[in-house]
Amino acid sequence: MMQNVHLAPKSDEDDLYSGYNDYNPTFDTEDLENDTAFQQAVRTSHGRRPPITAKIPGTSASRPLATGFGSKTVLSSSMGRPMTGAIQDGVARPLTAVHAAGYTKAALRGSVFDPLGQARGPAPPLEMKNEDTPEEKIRQLEKKVNELVEESCIANSCGDLKLALEKAKDAGRKERVLVRQREQIASPENINLDLTYSVLFNLASQYSANEMYAEALNTYQVIVKNKMFSNGGRLKVNMANIYLKQRNYSKAIKFYRMALDQIPSVHKEMRIKIMQNIGVAFIKTGQYTDGISSFEHIMSTSPNLKAGFNLILCYFAIGDREQMKKAFQKLITVPLEIDYDDKYISPNDDPHTNLLIEAIKNDQLRQMERERCVEVVKASHYVELANDLEINKAITYLRQKDFYQAVETLKMFEKKDSRVKSAAATNLSFLYYLENELAQAANYADLAVNSDRYNPSALTNKGNTVFANGDYEKAAEFYKEALRNDSSCTEALYNIGLTYKKLNRIDEALDCFLKLQAILRNSAQVLYQIASLYEIMEDPNQAIEWLMQLISVVPTDSHALSKLGELYDNEGDKSQAFQYYYESYRYFPSNIEVIEWLGAYYIDTQFCEKAIQYFERAALIQPTQVKWQLMVASCYRRSGNYQKALDTYKEIHRKFPENVECLRFLVRLCTDMGLKEVQEYVTKLKRVEKLKEIREQRVKSGRDGSARSRREGSGSGDGGSAKGERLSAKLRALPGTNEPYESSGNKEIDASYVDPLGPQTERPKTAARKRMDEDEFADEELGEDLLPE
């Protein structure tokens, strides 16, 4: 038993505490410069490690492990492969642990570290697209087919039916070539069925449009019989339509019914139209009973006027009067979807339509309609409704811009009871106020107030007439009374704000408009008034803030934009001022003040060439004002284009031969350019200056004589003379007297807000126009409106 036990010799016993003072040469750093293996490893980080020497054992080399039997084996992995760096059969296994960082086994010693592969140079150019491949040819052919189909549809919409048919045929030929090519290089499953369907459907439609019905039916038949087209059966409706045009009614009915079977019930409208066509086909064949069945089904599910008329026709044909009455009752229950108020108003400027409307607007049927309707209501228990109908009739006249008939209709209520009289008088006051007949407006306003003192609309209109006469304190009292009667009367609140503004009671006016802003959110007129009041209070920052809110509501309001530009200009912010002035000019390029400011801005910034286009536009708007043309010539002169300036001055002199400034600059330019024409212009200048001096002397002597006669007669005319002299001084101070252009100051550039509805003078509001536009007329509210300042 002991024969297999071997005792280790005593010389092999290890000392437990030995080795602590031994020196490991691996950590010797003094001689590293002379160590070739270390230097090689430093120079190349991805090369192969130097072979392991006996003197300096490598850390990655395999170490033999002593076993209990005294043998030494090399460690291997659990999968049986040698460890990294192990030597088997004289070949060292590569260091695979560093492959992911860019190291390769085949790298040579001394190569440069290049993990991104930049040393390999630029990437090779992209391969050119080969257009000769079958796939590319098929793709191009498919694109051409789609283009032909689109061109065919466009030609059809433009009315060129022959061209549409030719394009459709060409698309069909190319589509067949495309299918054959696809079958040669791919399986039939890759055929584009949607393209085939669209080509065939378009071809059939073009055949039908050109009245080639046989070809159209054949093409439709190809689509219908192909089971690969899922919705092809619905095209039987088109085939039935063709049979109906050919008067082949039996086949039309057959195909309509076949199409009806294939259309699901969710498409209710389509099914109703097909049923209606079936009924029409039955009428054409004289099968009125079958037609009645179709139309009765339509009237029970989705009634319409055509089906109702056809149903009555069928009952008339079979002589059933009772059913005719029932069918007529069903017909009159169908909503006409016509607004009675607008059916006599022309929707466009078509002369034929206007003549037709004029012919039927007052024909016998229309007269009978008005008389019987109103008379029947008057004879019933709804007398109040008859009065409302009459007022609505007056409103309809207003919409038709027939003011005379509207006034005559409203005057009929002068002898009615107080409420109706007040409503009619309020409307009459409003109409006369719009026509600027203030005396008549005041009379009817008094009548409205006397008839109903608690009518806020009547009180507002009365205040409007007093406001127009300049009695602002009294107007404010009427507006206050209207607000006491109805605190929600926004028109009275707006007008009292305007009144306080006229009375220079700015704080009270601001309170009114701020209250109104809380009621009428995003009202452009209210926002402008608040901004205007802050400007009067010399608070430009608040004015700018409210104007910014205004242009967020009406971003295309050119006057609001120019006002913003003016405020920024007054604040010295030229860039912001230019931005808003330019936006204003873009939306409304005919505002002379904006044009003048933009021209002045470009001249101040030394861009005279850009200023020319603005002054040229000003000259187009005001061709009789010589100063704009002088400014154009001055811009040419300042930009150094003296020849163009000279030509412009000559053109100005031709139009305005007595303009002194033009002649002066012609003399100066001709002298500087050494032209022979200078003497001619000098002579003309002297003559014009002499004539001007003679005129001024005559005017002065005439003014002195008239002043002397007034002093001798009475002393009451001094103010008029002073006013005339001030006016003359103002005219003499206009730009262009001494210099063809002088940059205008801020005071010469002004803009006032004009609402998008149109330019208006500042006046109190009336409400009827707003409610007339919104179809919300009430008899006690006609006569007030929010009008722009």
Side-chain angles (χ1 to χ4, degrees):
M1 185 175 67
M2 298 295 293
Q3 61 182 355
N4 292 328
V5 178
H6 301 280
L7 298 177
K10 292 183 179 180
S11 59
D12 292 338
E13 291 182 0
D14 294 331
D15 188 2
L16 184 62
Y17 299 101
S18 64
Y20 283 101
N21 295 325
D22 293 343
Y23 178 74
N24 192 341
T26 305
F27 302 105
D28 185 7
T29 59
E30 295 180 358
D31 199 30
L32 288 179
E33 294 181 358
N34 299 323
D35 190 344
T36 57
F38 178 78
Q39 294 299 327
Q40 179 67 19
V42 170
R43 283 196 301 270
T44 169
S45 60
H46 64 281
R48 187 175 182 182
R49 293 192 178 186
I52 302 171
T53 61
K55 182 179 180 181
I56 306 175
T59 58
S60 63
S62 59
R63 292 192 297 269
L65 181 65
T67 64
F69 293 95
S71 62
K72 295 184 179 180
T73 60
V74 178
L75 291 176
S76 61
S77 66
S78 61
M79 299 300 294
R81 66 184 181 89
M83 295 176 58
T84 301
I87 298 176
Q88 283 187 339
D89 299 330
V91 179
R93 185 175 179 272
L95 305 177
T96 56
V98 292
H99 273 212
Y103 299 96
T104 59
K105 174 182 177 182
L108 299 175
R109 294 178 180 270
S111 61
V112 183
F113 177 72
D114 187 15
L116 299 179
Q118 297 177 356
R120 293 195 298 268
L126 297 175
E127 295 183 2
M128 296 298 294
K129 190 175 182 180
N130 190 1
E131 296 184 356
D132 294 333
T133 61
E135 293 80 3
E136 185 61 27
K137 289 181 178 179
I138 288 174
R139 193 177 298 110
Q140 293 297 329
L141 188 58
E142 189 175 81
K143 182 180 178 182
K144 182 62 178 176
V145 172
N146 279 314
E147 291 176 355
L148 287 170
V149 172
E150 291 178 2
E151 291 173 3
S152 174
C153 296
I154 293 172
N156 182 280
S157 64
C158 295
D160 195 346
L161 301 180
K162 291 184 178 180
L163 178 61
L165 180 58
E166 290 300 323
K167 295 286 184 182
K169 289 180 178 179
D170 196 7
R173 287 191 291 267
K174 284 184 167 49
E175 195 273 334
R176 286 192 293 274
V177 173
L178 176 63
V179 170
R180 286 195 296 269
Q181 290 185 3
R182 281 190 180 276
E183 290 176 348
Q184 292 174 0
I185 67 170
S187 58
E189 290 79 8
N190 294 328
I191 297 175
N192 190 344
L193 292 177
D194 293 336
L195 181 61
T196 305
Y197 181 89
S198 62
V199 169
L200 292 173
F201 177 68
N202 179 63
L203 180 61
S205 300
Q206 303 307 332
Y207 277 135
S208 179
N210 285 272
E211 297 183 358
M212 301 171 66
Y213 297 127
E215 292 83 352
L217 288 171
N218 292 335
T219 308
Y220 279 128
Q221 198 71 26
V222 172
I223 302 175
V224 170
K225 288 185 176 181
N226 194 334
K227 302 300 182 181
M228 300 179 70
F229 299 136
S230 57
N231 295 323
R234 299 186 184 184
L235 295 182
K236 291 179 179 178
V237 176
N238 296 21
M239 299 176 70
N241 291 339
I242 294 175
Y243 284 125
L244 194 65
K245 292 177 182 178
Q246 293 178 333
R247 298 186 178 183
N248 191 346
Y249 301 118
S250 59
K251 276 199 171 183
I253 294 170
K254 175 184 176 182
F255 276 87
Y256 278 134
R257 285 178 170 172
M258 292 168 65
L260 193 64
D261 294 338
Q262 296 191 8
I263 294 177
S265 58
V266 292
H267 300 290
K268 183 178 178 182
E269 186 176 356
M270 176 64 71
R271 293 179 62 87
I272 291 297
K273 289 181 179 179
I274 294 175
M275 288 289 296
Q276 190 160 316
N277 286 0
I278 292 173
V280 171
F282 278 130
I283 292 177
K284 294 286 187 179
T285 58
Q287 302 177 39
Y288 299 110
T289 305
D290 295 331
I292 288 172
S293 301
S294 298
F295 293 125
E296 284 285 4
H297 175 73
I298 295 173
M299 293 300 290
S300 62
T301 56
S302 179
N304 61 75
L305 294 177
K306 290 183 179 180
F309 278 119
N310 288 332
L311 183 59
I312 295 173
L313 176 64
C314 290
Y315 281 125
F316 175 79
I318 64 176
D320 193 339
R321 294 187 177 184
E322 292 298 325
Q323 292 296 330
M324 281 180 64
K325 293 179 182 179
K326 293 179 180 179
F328 187 75
Q329 290 176 350
K330 292 179 181 179
L331 177 64
I332 61 177
T333 59
V334 177
L336 295 178
E337 298 179 356
I338 299 175
D339 190 353
Y340 282 100
D341 295 334
D342 298 332
K343 66 180 180 180
Y344 296 111
I345 300 175
S346 176
N348 49 39
D349 295 331
D350 183 16
H352 178 73
T353 305
N354 293 337
L355 287 174
L356 179 62
I357 290 175
E358 286 296 327
I360 67 173
K361 185 163 63 175
N362 201 33
D363 59 358
Q364 294 182 355
L365 182 61
R366 173 64 174 158
Q367 293 174 3
M368 183 181 71
E369 177 188 11
R370 285 200 303 263
E371 293 174 0
R372 293 188 63 179
C373 178
V374 176
E375 293 299 327
V376 168
V377 174
K378 286 181 178 179
S380 66
H381 300 289
Y382 305 100
V383 181
E384 295 293 330
L385 181 60
N387 297 328
D388 293 340
L389 288 174
E390 290 290 345
I391 290 180
N392 285 333
K393 183 169 74 172
I395 295 168
T396 304
Y397 283 132
L398 287 177
R399 289 200 183 98
Q400 296 172 358
K401 299 180 181 180
D402 192 347
F403 295 103
Y404 176 77
Q405 289 289 346
V407 170
E408 291 299 318
T409 304
L410 291 171
K411 284 182 177 180
M412 296 167 52
F413 292 93
E414 293 184 6
K415 298 180 180 180
K416 299 287 184 180
D417 59 23
S418 59
R419 189 188 68 83
V420 179
K421 184 192 300 184
S422 177
T426 301
N427 285 278
L428 287 168
S429 175
F430 158 71
L431 289 174
Y432 283 121
Y433 183 81
L434 290 182
E435 294 179 353
N436 206 26
E437 296 183 17
L438 298 180
Q440 288 279 31
N443 292 335
Y444 281 103
D446 290 334
L447 179 60
V449 172
N450 295 332
S451 301
D452 186 2
R453 188 72 186 186
Y454 297 100
N455 185 354
S457 303
L459 292 167
T460 302
N461 279 1
K462 179 59 181 176
N464 292 348
T465 58
V466 177
F467 184 99
N469 291 324
D471 193 350
Y472 303 121
E473 292 285 356
K474 191 174 181 181
E477 293 300 323
F478 281 107
Y479 297 140
K480 288 178 182 178
E481 187 175 354
L483 286 171
R484 285 194 295 269
N485 292 337
D486 184 4
S487 59
S488 63
C489 184
T490 55
E491 294 83 8
L493 184 59
Y494 185 97
N495 292 346
I496 199 172
L498 286 183
T499 306
Y500 287 145
K501 186 178 178 182
K502 288 287 187 181
L503 295 171
N504 204 26
R505 293 156 64 174
I506 304 301
D507 293 334
E508 296 176 71
L510 184 61
D511 290 339
C512 292
F513 288 116
L514 289 175
K515 290 178 183 177
L516 200 57
Q517 167 65 11
I519 301 171
L520 302 175
R521 292 288 182 181
N522 298 327
S523 171
Q525 300 149 5
V526 176
L527 291 171
Y528 172 74
Q529 291 297 340
I530 295 173
S532 176
L533 289 170
Y534 275 118
E535 184 183 7
I536 294 172
M537 297 168 67
E538 298 181 355
D539 190 348
N541 293 328
Q542 283 289 336
I544 289 173
E545 182 180 344
W546 285 98
L547 282 174
M548 293 294 287
Q549 293 187 40
L550 173 62
I551 63 172
S552 68
V553 176
V554 279
T556 60
D557 193 316
S558 62
H559 294 277
L561 292 167
S562 64
K563 192 67 178 177
L564 262 174
E566 178 189 351
L567 290 173
Y568 276 117
D569 188 30
N570 294 338
E571 291 295 301
D573 192 345
K574 294 288 184 181
S575 61
Q576 286 286 351
F578 171 76
Q579 176 185 347
Y580 288 108
Y581 271 122
Y582 183 78
E583 286 295 309
S584 174
Y585 172 79
R586 193 163 65 90
Y587 289 116
F588 183 57
S590 300
N591 191 326
I592 289 295
E593 290 81 8
V594 174
I595 293 172
E596 183 178 6
W597 191 94
L598 288 171
Y601 173 81
Y602 280 118
I603 287 181
D604 291 341
T605 54
Q606 304 300 319
F607 290 102
C608 299
E609 298 87 352
K610 292 186 177 181
I612 292 173
Q613 60 173 325
Y614 295 102
F615 294 132
E616 286 179 343
R617 179 171 288 275
L620 288 175
I621 297 171
Q622 295 181 344
T624 60
Q625 292 287 332
V626 67
K627 68 174 182 177
W628 306 120
Q629 301 179 44
L630 288 172
M631 290 174 182
V632 173
S634 177
C635 289
Y636 282 124
R637 180 173 57 83
R638 294 186 184 195
S639 61
N641 193 347
Y642 298 110
Q643 184 60 45
K644 188 68 175 177
L646 180 63
D647 295 339
T648 306
Y649 279 123
K650 286 181 179 180
E651 183 66 21
I652 296 171
H653 176 64
R654 188 181 65 81
K655 295 179 180 178
F656 305 94
E658 295 185 357
N659 187 270
V660 177
E661 288 77 13
C662 179
L663 286 169
R664 286 176 182 170
F665 278 100
L666 278 172
V667 171
R668 184 183 301 179
L669 282 173
C670 290
T671 303
D672 294 341
M673 299 173 70
L675 300 177
K676 297 179 181 179
E677 305 168 82
V678 62
Q679 192 58 42
E680 176 187 353
Y681 292 122
V682 168
T683 304
K684 290 182 178 180
L685 177 61
K686 290 180 179 179
R687 185 175 66 252
V688 170
E689 287 180 339
K690 188 174 182 180
L691 289 173
K692 184 179 179 181
E693 185 179 351
I694 293 172
R695 289 196 192 98
E696 289 178 353
Q697 289 178 355
R698 288 178 179 174
V699 171
K700 184 178 180 181
S701 61
R703 189 184 299 116
D704 292 342
S706 61
R708 190 180 305 110
S709 63
R710 284 197 297 271
R711 283 197 300 272
E712 292 172 357
S714 65
S716 60
D718 294 340
S721 176
K723 182 177 179 180
E725 292 177 0
R726 287 195 301 270
L727 181 60
S728 300
K730 183 176 180 181
L731 290 174
R732 287 196 298 271
L734 283 174
T737 54
N738 300 320
E739 184 75 11
Y741 179 79
E742 290 294 337
S743 179
S744 58
N746 295 333
K747 294 182 179 179
E748 297 178 15
I749 301 174
D750 191 12
S752 59
Y753 174 77
V754 179
D755 192 73
L757 294 177
Q760 302 281 346
T761 57
E762 185 172 283
R763 58 177 178 173
K765 297 187 173 187
T766 54
R769 181 180 298 169
K770 177 183 177 184
R771 294 196 172 92
M772 182 171 66
D773 291 340
E774 297 177 351
D775 296 336
E776 293 178 355
F777 282 93
D779 44 1
E780 71 273 11
E781 294 177 343
L782 295 174
E784 311 170 18
D785 192 6
L786 292 172
L787 288 182
E789 184 180 356

